[in-house]
Amino acid sequence: MKLLTFAKTELHNLFSKPATRLYPQEPRVYPERTRGHVENDIDVCVFCGLCSKKCPTGAITVDRAAKSWSIKRFSCIQCGYCVASCPKKCLCMRPAYTQPASEKGTETFTQEPKDDQSA
Ligand code: SF4
Ligand code: SF4
């Protein structure tokens, strides 16, 4: 009886598609509502720091003087509080996960100085 069950499973596995994919060669297609990771349209950011204050894990750091916005990707839990609190709507959740890495780094985005329109 056990041999029959085994043969059935073996035949099923032989003629069905593999349950795994060839990551990373075969890109992942994410479901529609995947939260993925946070992205900032840095040109729109006003460095108010609200996202940083709302972040429950302290993953975001905002430096108003240096016009920089940083995120520790491995501290982020994809809760989306920062996105909901941003008054400029420059934050969003992109439906793709952070690439695997061997070290926990910080990603920093700096706003380029804007042209002075009054000159
Ligand atoms: S809340 Fe929005 S505008 Fe304010 S610092 Fe964060 S990303 Fe920038
Ligand atoms: S999604 Fe949540 S944990 Fe991640 S940076 Fe935004 S507030 Fe912090």
Side-chain angles (χ1 to χ4, degrees):
M1 191 64 188
K2 274 187 180 171
L3 192 67
L4 192 69
T5 312
F6 176 75
K8 245 173 82 179
T9 307
E10 195 180 15
L11 278 171
H12 176 264
N13 289 342
L14 267 176
F15 296 104
S16 57
K17 279 169 56 174
T20 53
R21 66 180 63 83
L22 284 173
Y23 180 83
Q25 289 89 346
E26 200 177 303
R28 178 86 163 92
V29 178
Y30 293 99
E32 197 185 321
R33 295 176 72 186
T34 303
R35 288 195 175 181
H37 70 275
V38 180
E39 278 194 5
N40 189 356
D41 184 355
I42 198 69
D43 291 333
V44 181
C45 179
V46 292
F47 307 99
C48 63
L50 269 177
C51 54
S52 170
K53 287 191 185 99
K54 290 279 180 182
C55 179
T57 63
I60 297 176
T61 310
V62 179
D63 187 335
R64 183 181 271 245
K67 289 188 179 287
S68 70
W69 183 93
S70 307
I71 184 165
K72 290 184 220 152
R73 296 273 181 214
F74 286 85
S75 297
C76 176
I77 55 169
Q78 286 93 23
C79 65
Y81 282 5
C82 54
V83 176
S85 67
C86 177
K88 298 299 284 180
K89 305 285 174 229
C90 57
L91 292 179
C92 67
M93 304 294 293
R94 281 266 174 262
Y97 291 111
T98 306
Q99 290 295 305
S102 54
E103 283 178 14
K104 291 182 180 177
T106 303
E107 257 182 76
T108 300
F109 302 87
T110 307
Q111 195 176 76
E112 294 295 322
K114 290 177 180 156
D115 291 339
D116 188 2
Q117 301 293 320
S118 60

